[in-house]
Every structure is written in structure tokens, then in C-alpha cells.
Amino acid sequence: MASLLMMLAGCNDSGSSQEVGQSLDDLKVSRVVGGEPEMGRRIIAAYECGVCHVIPGIQGAHGIVGPPLTDFGRRQFIGGVVPNEPSLLVRWVQDAPSIAPHTGMPDLGLSNDEARHVAAYLYTLR
Ligand code: HEC
């Protein structure tokens, strides 16, 4: 994990950051095994994540309780505590308090499959 972080940090400093960053993001989307962004978009709407978050592409998602998920695919950390990595994002959207016990984001009880679709969608935001 530490080396992935260093890679990510390094990319932002390098001249060709856009290109390298882009392919890293593509890699992340494809690493959400079985995750379909379009399915994720519908699940996000159904669970009303937009009550708390601004989420591009989701109708009515203008919440300001949590951070905007705009450009989430390029965010380095999840909740500021763990690296933005597919397996951790899947777990975060299912049960954020299992990662950050004091977080304001509730355990929303998504199934594993639902969480994978949601993560795949979030990685398209960049
Ligand atoms: C009751 C409000 C609430 C709901 C509903 C909610 N969240 Fe959150 N979410 C938060 C808060 C507050 C944070 C900030 C947590 C922290 O930093 O500890 C957060 C953080 C996040 C993060 C990390 C953002 C970052 O920049 O680090 C993601 C991703 C996320 N939420 C996705 C979702 C998804 C997907 C859903 C729906 C399945 C959802 N949230 C529903 C309140 C909510």
C-alpha cells in the first residue's frame, strides 16, 4: 500500500501527470471486479447517497453533509484515513464505520455486489 501511495503522489508531481493519472484511474475501475458503473449509478440513486453528497450524474444529489464526490476517482484517500484503493472503497460504501469508527457516514448495509457497482461508478468521476 505504501508503494502505491508513493506512486500516486509521484504521478501528481511529474510532467506527464494527466496521462499517467488517467491510466491509473482506468486500472482502478477495472480492478473493481464485477463492478458496472451504470448499475452503480442506479444503486447510488436508490440508496439516496445524494442526501449527503454532491455526486455528478445523479439527479438531485446536492447534499452537503459529506464531501462532494466530484473527481472522487482522483482522490488519494477515502475519508482521509485509508488509501483510495478499490477493495477499501467497496468496504467503505458498505460500512464506513468499520474503517473509521467516528465517521459521520453511516453503515448503509449495501451488499457486496451493490458496493462493487457503486465503487466502479465512483471511479468514473474524475
Ligand atoms: C447520512 C449522510 C451520508 C450518507 C447517506 C452517505 N454518506 Fe458518504 N459520507 C458521509 C460523510 C459525513 C462522509 C465524510 C466521512 C469522513 O471523512 O469520515 C462521507 C464520506 C464518503 C466517501 C469518502 C469521500 C472522500 O472524499 O473521502 C465516499 C466515497 C462516500 N461517502 C460515498 C457514499 C455513498 C456511495 C453513499 C450511498 C451508498 C453515501 N456515501 C451515503 C455521509 C454520508
Side-chain angles (χ1 to χ4, degrees):
M1 252 179 229
S3 61
L4 174 66
L5 264 186
M6 283 171 65
M7 264 168 61
L8 290 170
C11 290
N12 283 346
D13 292 342
S14 77
S16 58
S17 60
Q18 271 323 84
E19 217 180 306
V20 176
Q22 190 79 0
S23 58
L24 255 182
D25 288 340
D26 290 343
L27 189 70
K28 276 184 184 171
V29 173
S30 65
R31 277 176 60 207
V32 183
V33 181
E36 301 233 352
E38 178 52 29
M39 290 280 288
R41 201 179 60 73
R42 281 184 239 156
I43 292 163
I44 286 171
Y47 275 89
E48 300 186 332
C49 311
V51 169
C52 291
H53 294 284
V54 169
I55 313 172
I58 310 292
Q59 204 177 7
H62 304 304
I64 54 164
V65 178
L69 302 182
T70 318
D71 288 331
F72 185 79
R74 297 163 61 193
R75 199 69 54 85
Q76 305 245 346
F77 290 93
I78 304 169
V81 288
V82 290
N84 186 0
E85 215 249 70
S87 61
L88 290 168
L89 181 59
V90 169
R91 191 169 137 202
W92 178 277
V93 298
Q94 276 185 292
D95 182 7
S98 76
I99 293 179
H102 300 294
T103 184
M105 170 138 165
D107 170 358
L108 292 160
L110 275 72
S111 73
N112 234 308
D113 283 348
E114 287 173 325
R116 271 199 291 270
H117 295 316
V118 166
Y121 181 76
L122 294 179
Y123 282 137
T124 67
L125 304 176
R126 55 196 186 209

